[in-house]
């Protein structure tokens, strides 16, 4: 058993080993790469249930995780989730970090063919998803009135919006609603300034004015949601003419 445990610990991809106890999936083991990728310790994971390790959060994928584990356990066949969004909480900065995962749950059998454990293999695909969405954005005609643009805005998982020259929102997607924690009807009557942290407001306004002068801007700054949640966001501003 020690040999198998050593192999598991050193597998070249992040993974967990779940054991089913009654109706709960409990973590039996976590390999070294999983601890590194998720910034977790063995103490935080060992003997914990799925619900304890993956609690509900603003973009929770908990239900999808449980459904996939059940599917693999009952069917005795591997079950894969191609894209799962589950943001990780950054205790140091007190914010959720955007994360996308490819997840596969693989049943492991004992000598008589009974499902013994579920091997949970994960791959961080955040960079690929974000870059794909940003690449798509560059190909979309920046005309908020076109149907093609509206459909892209609606499905993009990042916060995407357009502002007029006075800084008022004229178009936005669900991603921005989630980030700002503010209803769409309110956002469309608001300026971006109330969401700027006072310490960073002057710098953000400077970046906005540079954009009005035709310069692309990319920066990080602190913002505050409609529910007073502090966060550091990566912002890209692109100037365009509606005509």
């Amino acid at each position: 058993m020690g040999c198998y445990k050593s192999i598991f610990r050193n597998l070249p991809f992040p993974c967990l080993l779940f054991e089913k106890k009654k109706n709960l999936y409990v973590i039996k083991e976590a390999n070294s790469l999983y601890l590194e990728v998720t910034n977790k310790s063995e103490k935080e994971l060992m003997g914990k249930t799925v619900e304890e390790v993956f609690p509900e959060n603003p973009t929770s994928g908990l239900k999808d995780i449980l459904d996939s584990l059940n599917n693999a356990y009952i069917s005795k066949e591997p079950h894969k989730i191609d894209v799962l969004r589950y943001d990780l909480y950054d205790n140091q900065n007190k914010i959720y970090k955007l994360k996308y995962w490819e997840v596969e749950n693989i049943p492991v059998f004992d000598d008589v063919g009974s499902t013994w454990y579920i091997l949970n293999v994960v791959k961080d695909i955040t960079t690929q998803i974000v870059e794909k969405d940003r690449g798509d954005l560059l190909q979309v005609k920046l005309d908020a009135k076109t149907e093609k643009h509206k459909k892209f805005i609606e499905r993009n998982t990042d916060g995407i919006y357009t502002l007029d020259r006075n800084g008022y929102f004229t178009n936005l997607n669900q991603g921005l609603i989630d980030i700002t924690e503010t209803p769409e009807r309110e956002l469309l009557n608001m300026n971006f300034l109330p969401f700027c942290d006072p310490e960073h407001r002057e710098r953000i306004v400077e970046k906005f004015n540079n954009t009005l002068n035709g310069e692309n801007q990319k920066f990080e700054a602190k913002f505050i949601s409609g529910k007073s949640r502090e966060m550091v966001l990566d912002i890209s501003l692109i100037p365009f003419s509606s005509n």
Side-chain angles (χ1 to χ4, degrees), residues 28-89:
K28 183 76 173 176
E29 296 285 349
N31 79 337
S32 302
L33 198 52
Y34 188 94
L35 300 177
E36 179 183 330
V37 168
T38 61
N39 198 29
K40 298 280 188 180
S41 67
E42 282 189 307
K43 186 177 179 180
E44 291 176 282
L45 298 176
M46 295 305 98
K48 300 292 180 64
T49 66
V50 178
E51 291 84 354
E52 290 174 315
V53 177
F54 303 105
E56 294 283 355
N57 70 32
T59 57
S60 178
L62 175 59
K63 183 179 183 302
D64 293 325
I65 295 170
L66 286 170
D67 286 347
S68 180
L69 284 167
N70 282 323
N71 190 301
Y73 189 87
I74 294 170
S75 70
K76 297 186 178 182
E77 295 289 340
H79 186 268
K80 187 176 182 181
I81 305 174
D82 291 322
V83 180
L84 173 73
R85 180 174 176 182
Y86 189 88
D87 298 348
L88 296 182
Y89 190 68

Side-chain angles (χ1 to χ4, degrees), residues 96-236:
Y96 283 96
K97 283 190 172 181
L98 176 71
K99 285 292 181 181
Y100 290 96
W101 309 90
E102 180 183 281
V103 181
E104 187 166 11
N105 288 304
I106 305 167
V108 180
F109 305 103
D110 60 16
D111 293 338
V112 295
S114 298
T115 308
W116 190 18
Y117 297 117
I118 298 291
L119 179 65
N120 174 259
V121 181
V122 298
K123 179 182 179 183
D124 185 348
I125 57 172
T126 306
T127 300
Q128 296 94 307
I129 296 296
V130 170
E131 289 305 316
K132 181 181 183 301
D133 281 344
R134 286 179 179 170
D136 289 344
L137 178 60
L138 294 177
Q139 297 177 32
V140 174
K141 292 182 179 179
L142 294 177
D143 181 356
K145 294 181 181 180
T146 66
E147 192 65 20
K148 182 179 179 181
H149 180 65
K150 287 181 179 178
K151 286 182 178 179
F152 173 74
I153 289 291
E154 289 169 359
R155 73 175 176 79
N156 197 290
T157 52
D158 288 340
I160 295 188
Y161 53 90
T162 57
L163 301 169
D164 64 18
R165 294 184 62 86
N166 296 313
Y168 284 86
F169 294 100
T170 59
N171 200 279
L172 52 95
N173 74 338
Q174 184 63 42
L176 186 70
I177 294 170
D178 294 340
I179 291 171
T180 61
E181 296 179 324
T182 303
E184 181 179 7
R185 64 181 181 279
E186 292 183 24
L187 283 171
L188 290 174
N189 290 305
M190 290 182 66
N191 192 285
F192 73 89
L193 286 174
F195 298 106
C196 302
D197 184 275
E199 295 179 5
H200 291 202
R201 184 172 297 172
E202 183 176 343
R203 177 167 167 265
I204 296 169
V205 170
E206 178 184 355
K207 298 293 186 181
F208 176 75
N209 289 332
N210 289 343
T211 309
L212 292 180
N213 290 328
E215 301 172 15
N216 288 4
Q217 301 291 302
K218 184 175 177 62
F219 60 98
E220 284 187 355
K222 188 185 290 186
F223 292 82
I224 303 173
S225 77
K227 294 184 178 179
S228 300
R229 178 169 61 90
E230 295 184 355
M231 52 197 158
V232 177
L233 299 179
D234 181 25
I235 304 295
S236 294

